[in-house]
Amino acid sequence: MLLWQRNIFRRTMSTALRCPFLSRIPVNQVKKTASQLMSYAERCPVMVHAMSYMNGPDMMTVTDEPLEKQCPFFAKEGLTVSDVKSHISSLKDVAPKTEKTAPTADMPVAKATAAEATVTAPKYPSGISVEKTLEKIKLWGKGAEEAQQSKLFDYEDFFGAQIDRKKSDHTYRVFKKVMRRGREFPYAEDHSTGKKRDITVWCSNDYLGMSWHPKVMNAVSEALKNHGAGAGGTRNISGNSPLHEGLEAEIASLHEKEAALVFTSCYVANDTSLCTLGQTIPGVHMFSDAGNHASLIQGIRNSRVPKHIFRHNDPLHLEELLRKVDSGTPKIVVFETVHSMTGDISPLSELCDVAHKYGALTFVDEVHAVGLYGDQGAGVGQRDGCMDKIDIISGTLGKAFGNVGGYIASTSRTVDMIRSYGSGFIFTTSLPPTTLAGARASIQVLRGEEGKHLREKHQSNVRYLRQNLIEAGIPAIHSPSHIIPIHVGDAALCTHLSAELMNKHDIYVQAINYPTVARGSERLRVAPTPHHTKAMMDYFVSSVIRVWSDNGLELSRERSVCPDECEVCNKPLGIQILQAEEKVCGRSNCTYASLQDIFFTDNRRAVAMA
């Protein structure tokens, strides 16, 4: 062996004492294959590190990759070069002296060979075996890993803290376990306590009880027997059927539009449609009512376009904001007709007129109006004679129509564009045959004479219950719609009142707390149907009075019907003003103008009877 080869071998052996692979190979084998091992040296981080100190520049190999990534052992064990070096340094202080003489460059070849033969199996300077050393290194690394993990984000603790926060401010939601009796609506069974009890439901969005209408149930049953339970896929992949297209044609006809598109819910319909419009119309600005539903807000937010928020139901403020945007800029004005928690109705015609004056499209949510208003149940737009002013209407199949799902209706091109680009429509399983058949049957019933009768009975029951609550001094907030909010103003108290009505009087009316309504506006939301009898409504009023009194709450007719001022024109209000013939507010669907109509009608009736 030449001198330079002996030097290489000596350095290789020195490195072998630190290399976990070479230390497992007998020394003689390493000696015999030293030349061949050199061809692999550049692949090992330990060898590269050792060779970097060699005198010959040709012997040094440097790679760009980190050392630990080059070595399969390091990668497998999750170690780094610094880990091993630190451990070895800690062992050097206790390394025993050896009596063996390793060969040097000055020894004759024969003597060097003899010395090499006396070298024992490689061990670390401490004398411990390779296996033990590796195990200690792994344990050391594990301790560091555990220390690192202690600094990682604790998701479960965070989620628990968020839940505790909701519970502490009494906004944590506990779902009632209620099984409705389909053929005995509005009766149901409460299973919340684990024991069944008979109750009546006063807060359902099945406003007309269409979920159990015989024609609807028969259509659902036939669809199930003939077509099965599921749709089978997205509309594009085996999930489209004549039932889908038939329902969409029915919806388009109801709203006097060219086309319609059904979605899995109206939340999805609003979110997808607004997001798609925002992402496809160049430079569009959106104008949103301050009282809009979360689905409308989410769709606008997801579109990432400039947004402007106008005061709730205020056409003047909308115009003020529209005037600030260039006339050539595309615009969409987004609002609802019936607001489900306050019960108020937007000035639909005025808002549409202002929007069109400045070249904006109108996107109107009629979710809590379809089926309930208008000659055929098409909503407030039909009732007020301005359906043509609504450019895009969204509605639901899950409330007055008694099924599930949502939709939009508009021009053929508008609907086709959203159908072609809306990911919330494209990438989801379509509605099943049962829902499609049931929804279409419901719409057809409500478009006919039976629907007119149900709507008249519904409005009559709403007036009767609201008037009796007001007469009793319960703070039933007046609204021109079918929603009767009973103001409470405290989350804990609201939840308590709801529980007492259920536990003591078998009445289910849901407490509505933040974030559904603003803090301080907590309320019980009452929604009577055509199927609640007068006896039921009288019992409801007497039960609310008892719960109110039991909790030391004030019963005051004056406070329940007389707000301080009109929400739109800010005119002061009082019994004398409300009883006057002069209109408080000229805006259509004004809450207090409608209240004034009730007072004026009652006064005329009293005079006539006298």
Side-chain angles (χ1 to χ4, degrees), residues 197-349:
R197 65 190 302 165
D198 295 333
I199 62 171
T200 52
V201 179
W202 292 86
C203 52
S204 173
N205 284 340
D206 187 4
Y207 294 127
L208 302 177
M210 291 303 293
S211 64
W212 60 273
H213 191 284
K215 290 183 179 179
V216 174
M217 291 197 297
N218 184 62
V220 171
S221 178
E222 289 298 312
L224 180 64
K225 287 189 290 186
N226 294 331
H227 309 295
T234 65
R235 291 288 291 273
N236 188 52
I237 306 176
S238 81
N240 187 55
S241 73
L243 291 174
H244 291 84
E245 297 179 8
L247 174 58
E248 288 169 344
E250 189 75 45
I251 293 169
S253 172
L254 172 67
H255 293 292
E256 299 179 7
K257 301 297 182 187
E258 295 177 357
L261 194 66
V262 294
F263 295 78
T264 51
S265 74
C266 197
Y267 191 106
V268 176
N270 285 340
D271 183 12
T272 300
S273 299
L274 289 171
C275 181
T276 304
L277 290 167
Q279 291 177 348
T280 54
I281 301 175
V284 68
H285 284 227
M286 293 204 185
F287 297 77
S288 177
D289 186 289
N292 271 345
H293 186 263
S295 60
L296 299 171
I297 295 170
Q298 191 64 38
I300 294 171
R301 181 181 292 133
N302 288 340
S303 71
R304 299 182 181 180
V305 301
K307 64 177 182 293
H308 312 265
I309 300 174
F310 60 92
R311 287 189 295 270
H312 180 50
N313 285 351
D314 192 339
L316 296 178
H317 189 225
L318 172 62
E319 182 166 19
E320 181 184 325
L321 295 177
L322 286 167
R323 196 182 294 121
K324 294 178 180 178
V325 179
D326 187 85
S327 59
T329 299
K331 310 170 195 69
I332 302 175
V333 176
V334 184
F335 60 96
E336 303 173 56
T337 51
V338 177
H339 291 259
S340 64
M341 294 302 147
T342 59
D344 54 344
I345 300 178
S346 68
L348 175 60
S349 184

Side-chain angles (χ1 to χ4, degrees), residues 356-487:
H356 292 150
K357 177 181 177 180
Y358 293 90
L361 289 174
T362 54
F363 187 105
V364 182
D365 179 315
E366 287 250 51
V367 164
H368 290 274
V370 292
L372 301 176
Y373 299 91
D375 187 56
Q376 296 184 23
V380 173
Q382 186 176 58
R383 187 199 68 177
D384 292 356
C386 58
M387 281 201 298
D388 59 320
K389 296 182 180 181
I390 301 175
D391 297 308
I392 305 171
I393 182 173
S394 69
T396 183
L397 305 171
K399 292 181 172 58
F401 293 135
N403 281 265
V404 68
Y407 64 83
I408 61 165
S410 186
T411 65
S412 295
R413 288 183 177 179
T414 301
V415 170
D416 199 20
M417 193 277 290
I418 294 172
R419 181 191 72 87
S420 301
Y421 288 91
S423 62
F425 171 81
I426 296 170
F427 300 106
T428 190
T429 301
S430 64
L431 290 173
T434 49
T435 295
L436 300 166
R440 188 175 187 184
S442 180
I443 293 172
Q444 290 172 339
V445 168
L446 292 180
R447 294 185 75 177
E449 289 302 315
E450 185 178 356
K452 293 179 183 178
H453 172 72
L454 283 171
R455 283 187 287 277
E456 290 172 2
K457 180 65 173 173
H458 181 225
Q459 292 295 329
S460 175
N461 280 359
V462 169
R463 287 192 296 270
Y464 180 85
L465 182 58
R466 177 185 284 121
Q467 188 61 32
N468 282 356
L469 287 168
I470 290 173
E471 290 292 339
I474 299 297
I477 303 171
H478 179 76
S479 75
S481 74
H482 58 284
I483 305 297
I484 306 176
I486 299 178
H487 178 75

